[in-house]
Amino acid sequence: MSASSAGPLHRRATACLRRCRGLALLGALVMLGACAQLPPRADTPPQASLPPATEGRIAERLVPALAAHPGLSGFRLVSDGTEAYALRAFSAQAASRSLDIQTYIWHADLTGKLLARQALLAADRGVRVRILADDLDARAKNTGLAALDAHPLIEVRLYNPMASRSGKLAMAGEFSTGFKRLNHRMHNKSWIADGRMALVGGRNLGNEYFGASEGPNFVDLDVLMAGPVVDAVASNFDRFWNSPSNHPIAQLSPEAVTDGNLARLRTLLDAVPGEVAASAYARVLREDPRVQSLIEGGGQLHWSGRWRFVSDDPLKARLPMEQRSEVVGALLPEIGAATGRLLVISPYFVPGERGTAELVGASARQVDVRVLTNSLAANDVAAVHGGYSRYRRALVEGGVKLWELKPSGGPARFSLAGSSGSSLHTKAMVIDGDGIFVGSYNLDPRSTSLNCEQGVLVEHAALAAELATLFERQSDGDHAWRVGLADGDLRWSDGTQTWTREPEATASQRTLAWLTRILPVESQL
């Protein structure tokens, strides 16, 4: 063989080998996916939430307030991350009867471990604890969740689980053969203590949701609730808990539900208070006036008899497309009936043709329509921004006032003023003078058609004023860019400086957003 012919032959052989390796990997993934079969869900008797507690610290605080407001429900917006963490931690500590937790993500970080420890200690006191987690995140924490399930008073169930319980290759194999099923997730977030109080909203369980991350933290929102609305949240938890959409973890990983694993987890969690004491977050919790007021029994609730809790069906994926979103079914009439103002906060904002038409139509009726979403630089999912950018010009041209949240660069610093880095995660609306919505629903196709979502609509002028104030604060020039038009082109301005392209975005963010904009993937965003 001549030296001149060796090069081309070698390249062809190498290319062929790469193709063979790729085909082999694809074949292996398909085989792994075919081998991983989810077992039929075990028959479990329907289980209901326990009646609201009549004794204990939570009942002592809330029963007199409920008696003073017969038939009404109490609501409080929780925008501060430390307060949101403290409400969960203290309610778990104070619970005497039941603790029901529904979440999309539960991180194994400082606050995530602290809340797991509080749930375990509550069960040690005799509290019944039920944990319902989406398996897309929970699979990576399978051992820890299975260990909790070993406690006689804790049960863990996983929404739409994978058959394999570990390994990225096995996970990829399952997605390669079961994408249609696994693409549907449970995005709901509920925290219910003693059947007396509930927290719902946008927050998952982890540092960045509670202002405890050393990197960027999320700007997020919960609503604390008491009264009859808690019964509605609890009933919805039961609907998901008893649905065939989930599997008990004891059925998926019986070998991991052991006393030994529980003992090892207990040792790990018992060390967490020491981690907290050595962290800056402990000082923030001690100094935060909201947290101190909570400890002392303070915190005002706004009482209303005009509310509606809405949630998608746990078997949403099996419904006809036009019937899938109960949340959208509740929100569209509210948007259509708005006469004065409509404030929309949505971190992942892909309104589509219908949503764009609804917002522009409201503006045409002289409604003051304002939208706050993430900028490309602040968005933790740049692909979603590409979908949103398709509709940005039409929104602005149609009279919709649009702001994009800035990323406050640099590492987060623990302070009462919040993180120096942020990304929007709030999902909320203000409708006219007294209507609000707070929930897990993003105004995008995934929330509408693929993921289970929930939220609460409340009519109360003070709540609407508070949420409007939050909107104004986050959309001012220090926090956001106003998107407008000049000479027919989009412009971004914070009142002191103007940009002609996406401000502060990196080349990789721009590229990913552009690719998403031109590819036919909007239904997945």
Side-chain angles (χ1 to χ4, degrees):
M1 182 184 297
S2 68
S4 62
S5 63
L9 285 173
H10 177 73
R11 285 194 295 272
R12 284 197 296 270
T14 301
C16 182
L17 180 60
R18 287 174 178 166
R19 284 195 295 270
C20 290
R21 285 175 176 169
L23 289 171
L25 177 58
L26 179 60
L29 289 176
V30 172
M31 290 179 64
L32 282 170
C35 292
Q37 296 293 324
L38 192 65
R41 187 180 188 272
D43 289 332
T44 54
Q47 190 180 80
S49 296
L50 297 177
T54 56
E55 299 178 347
R57 285 185 288 169
I58 295 176
E60 289 172 2
R61 289 190 183 186
L62 290 178
V63 169
L66 292 167
H69 301 87
L72 303 183
S73 292
F75 302 88
R76 186 169 92 237
L77 299 180
V78 184
S79 60
D80 183 80
T82 52
E83 182 186 11
Y85 163 74
L87 279 166
R88 288 167 171 83
F90 296 156
S91 62
Q93 291 172 3
S96 62
R97 189 165 195 173
S98 64
L99 183 63
D100 291 335
I101 303 168
Q102 184 176 11
T103 188
Y104 178 59
I105 291 172
W106 194 330
H107 288 321
D109 55 16
L110 182 66
T111 56
K113 289 187 291 187
L114 280 168
L115 293 175
R117 183 172 184 268
Q118 292 300 337
L120 180 57
L121 292 176
D124 289 343
R125 297 194 310 271
V127 174
R128 188 187 76 173
V129 178
R130 297 187 294 175
I131 298 171
L132 178 57
D134 185 90
D135 197 45
L136 190 64
D137 173 78
R139 180 179 179 274
K141 291 93 175 177
N142 189 75
T143 301
L145 289 168
L148 286 174
D149 192 79
H151 194 290
L153 288 180
I154 300 179
E155 185 175 357
V156 177
R157 296 186 182 182
L158 303 177
Y159 182 89
N160 199 11
M162 280 159 267
S164 64
R165 303 312 302 156
S166 64
K168 292 183 179 179
L169 192 60
M171 181 178 181
E174 283 197 69
F175 266 95
S176 70
T177 59
F179 179 79
K180 184 176 181 180
R181 175 179 74 85
L182 295 173
N183 194 32
H184 298 276
R185 309 311 321 170
M186 181 191 74
H187 199 229
N188 307 41
K189 295 103 175 174
S190 297
W191 183 283
I192 312 165
D194 271 358
R196 287 291 183 186
M197 60 159 284
L199 282 156
V200 302
R203 285 187 175 91
N204 294 298
L205 307 180
N207 286 352
E208 63 266 40
Y209 303 96
F210 300 127
S213 172
E214 295 180 0
N217 285 295
F218 283 121
V219 176
D220 218 328
L221 185 67
D222 292 319
V223 57
L224 172 67
M225 303 183 291
V229 67
V230 178
D231 297 336
V233 181
S235 294
N236 187 63
F237 183 96
D238 291 344
R239 179 167 70 147
F240 273 80
W241 185 257
N242 295 314
S243 172
S245 59
N246 69 71
H247 281 57
I249 198 171
Q251 181 188 9
L252 297 168
S253 297
E255 74 288 347
V257 183
T258 66
D259 291 340
N261 275 348
L262 177 58
R264 284 185 285 273
L265 177 66
R266 192 183 293 276
T267 299
L268 173 69
L269 296 180
D270 283 346
V272 178
E275 294 181 42
V276 179
S279 75
Y281 196 57
R283 177 181 61 79
V284 174
L285 290 173
R286 285 195 303 271
E287 297 177 4
D288 193 324
R290 299 179 186 86
V291 174
Q292 295 309 308
S293 174
L294 176 65
I295 294 172
E296 296 164 4
Q300 179 184 1
L301 294 173
H302 298 293
W303 296 89
S304 174
R306 295 174 296 172
W307 56 266
R308 180 182 176 190
F309 179 79
V310 291
S311 173
D312 295 339
D313 193 297
L315 297 175
K316 176 177 182 174
R318 302 183 187 181
L319 298 175
M321 192 66 70
E322 66 277 5
Q323 298 176 15
R324 285 189 177 180
S325 182
E326 294 184 29
V327 176
V328 170
L331 289 178
L332 280 179
E334 299 292 330
I335 294 172
T339 58
R341 67 175 174 180
L342 179 64
L343 311 182
V344 179
I345 308 175
S346 183
Y348 311 122
F349 179 59
V350 186
E353 293 181 2
R354 183 178 183 184
T356 300
E358 291 285 346
L359 296 175
V360 170
S363 178
R365 301 194 310 269
Q366 305 304 310
V367 176
D368 182 12
V369 182
R370 304 185 177 210
V371 176
L372 173 64
T373 189
N374 275 313
S375 65
L376 177 55
N379 204 321
D380 64 325
V381 187
V384 172
H385 194 86
Y388 147 67
S389 66
R390 294 178 181 174
Y391 304 99
R392 184 163 46 193
R393 175 180 290 273
L395 288 165
V396 176
E397 289 178 343
V400 175
K401 301 177 180 71
L402 189 59
W403 285 265
E404 296 178 1
L405 190 77
K406 293 179 177 180
S408 302
R413 293 177 176 83
F414 296 106
S415 72
L416 300 186
S419 167
S420 62
S422 59
S423 180
L424 187 66
H425 202 256
T426 301
K427 307 101 164 59
M429 292 185 187
V430 177
I431 304 126
D432 289 333
D434 62 354
I436 70 164
F437 169 81
V438 178
S440 66
Y441 175 80
N442 292 293
L443 211 162
D444 63 18
R446 174 161 288 277
S447 289
T448 300
S449 302
L450 296 174
N451 291 347
C452 293
E453 307 287 354
Q454 67 179 32
V456 63
L457 292 129
V458 188
E459 292 184 36
H460 195 288
L463 287 170
E466 287 179 20
L467 188 48
T469 298
L470 289 173
F471 186 101
E472 294 300 321
R473 184 187 308 158
Q474 290 301 324
S475 61
D476 67 25
D478 290 335
H479 296 96
W481 293 293
R482 171 79 182 270
V483 183
L485 289 170
D487 299 324
D489 294 322
L490 289 173
R491 296 288 187 267
W492 289 257
S493 176
D494 60 6
T496 60
Q497 188 176 354
T498 300
W499 288 259
T500 59
R501 60 188 301 195
E502 308 266 10
E504 298 185 22
T506 65
S508 61
Q509 287 173 320
R510 295 181 196 278
T511 300
L512 182 54
W514 175 77
L515 283 172
T516 308
R517 179 170 181 161
I518 65 172
L519 292 174
V521 295
E522 184 172 310
S523 64
Q524 302 301 309
L525 300 178

